[in-house]
Amino acid sequence: MRRIVTKKKFMKKYFLIVLLFFAGNCLAQINSSAVKLAQYIFDSFQPATIIMKSGKAYEQNLNYNIITNEMVFEQNGKFTAIASPEQVDTVYIAGRKFIPLNNKFYEVLAGGKKPLLYESSASVSEPGVSVGYGSTTTTSAATSYQSLIRDGSAYKLKLPDGYNVIPKHEFYILVEGKLEKAGSEKRLAKIFPDKSDAIKKIVKIDKTDFSNREDVAKLVNQLEQ
């Protein structure tokens, strides 16, 4: 009888340990997936395909740095940017398409003769430094940017404490090699003058939100049909 009781206690204890381990493992996974890389588009480096203008293709884990406007990969424990973006034709990451223009990479949201491009960038600020009498002074964005670039901190997964990333986004239509801003109904009407009435109608029916990338992409796709 003692043996049976002891075995039951052992099994209960073992089951409790397994449950605790499983719960801890799940919590670790949740915490890991919740990590946000403030200076990158993706929360982790993603498998990517790089198509060169020469036609060659390369596989590499990449992420896009919105502070430096560079495609970044990790090599031998160091973060390195693609050195010659002008030689790149297209980059595919996580089902999304990016092309280089003017030493930056733009995401292609809609194709066609006048493709819709999405620029992700950011400015950087750091907390004010005390100058006495309860006053503070804020380091300029340019100074913050230069200091992050100099010591390589802009490429790391976590910025130094106190630095803040302020994301910025802009829509563009690529017209004969030139970028035209396309973040409003009025701007789109200038780019598609023969479809100004259609733009008004679509915006009214779909209640297009020009801060929403899916809404703007849907609108431009309809205009290109």
Side-chain angles (χ1 to χ4, degrees):
M1 185 68 178
R2 285 181 185 173
R3 191 174 180 182
I4 295 174
V5 172
T6 303
K7 187 175 181 180
K8 284 184 177 180
K9 286 183 178 180
F10 173 78
M11 290 302 294
K12 285 181 179 179
K13 186 176 180 181
Y14 177 78
F15 184 67
L16 179 61
I17 291 171
V18 170
L19 281 178
L20 288 172
F21 175 79
F22 181 76
N25 191 43
C26 286
L27 182 60
Q29 290 181 7
I30 292 171
N31 288 338
S32 176
S33 64
V35 173
K36 175 66 178 174
L37 304 184
Q39 72 275 35
Y40 286 98
I41 284 183
F42 301 102
D43 290 340
S44 62
F45 279 66
Q46 301 286 320
T49 301
I50 307 165
I51 309 296
M52 307 300 291
K53 289 180 178 177
S54 65
K56 291 183 178 179
Y58 300 92
E59 304 293 326
Q60 182 68 264
N61 284 355
L62 292 177
N63 210 335
Y64 187 67
N65 192 306
I66 60 177
I67 295 176
T68 65
N69 303 122
E70 295 171 314
M71 282 292 175
V72 178
F73 59 96
E74 186 177 2
Q75 188 174 45
N76 300 323
K78 294 183 179 180
F79 296 100
T80 307
I82 292 179
S84 302
E86 70 278 0
Q87 296 180 17
V88 175
D89 181 79
T90 311
V91 175
Y92 295 94
I93 311 177
R96 293 159 68 171
K97 178 181 177 181
F98 296 81
I99 60 172
L101 280 171
N102 306 325
N103 293 317
K104 296 181 181 181
F105 279 86
Y106 295 80
E107 184 176 357
V108 181
L109 297 185
K113 294 180 180 178
K114 297 179 179 179
L116 173 67
L117 306 183
Y118 188 69
E119 179 190 20
S120 297
S121 60
S123 58
V124 182
S125 67
E126 59 179 323
V129 179
S130 175
V131 292
Y133 303 103
S135 299
T136 60
T137 180
T138 304
T139 303
S140 70
T143 304
S144 297
Y145 172 81
Q146 291 301 329
S147 62
L148 288 173
I149 296 297
R150 267 196 309 270
D151 64 13
S153 297
Y155 300 99
K156 295 179 181 178
L157 300 183
K158 185 179 182 302
L159 293 179
D161 292 339
Y163 281 86
N164 295 309
V165 177
I166 303 99
K168 297 185 293 183
H169 306 286
E170 188 66 71
F171 293 99
Y172 292 96
I173 294 288
L174 186 60
V175 183
E176 297 179 354
K178 184 180 179 182
L179 292 173
E180 301 285 354
K181 287 188 176 182
S184 70
E185 180 181 333
K186 186 177 180 180
R187 290 184 182 278
L188 277 177
K190 286 184 178 181
I191 299 169
F192 299 93
D194 57 328
K195 296 185 178 181
S196 57
D197 290 339
I199 291 171
K200 287 181 181 179
K201 184 177 179 180
I202 295 169
V203 169
K204 184 178 180 179
I205 294 173
D206 292 347
K207 294 180 172 59
T208 304
D209 179 359
F210 280 90
S211 65
N212 184 293
R213 41 187 281 142
E214 285 77 19
D215 278 14
V216 180
K218 180 181 177 183
L219 171 56
V220 173
N221 273 324
Q222 291 181 75
L223 296 176
E224 288 280 53
Q225 289 177 359

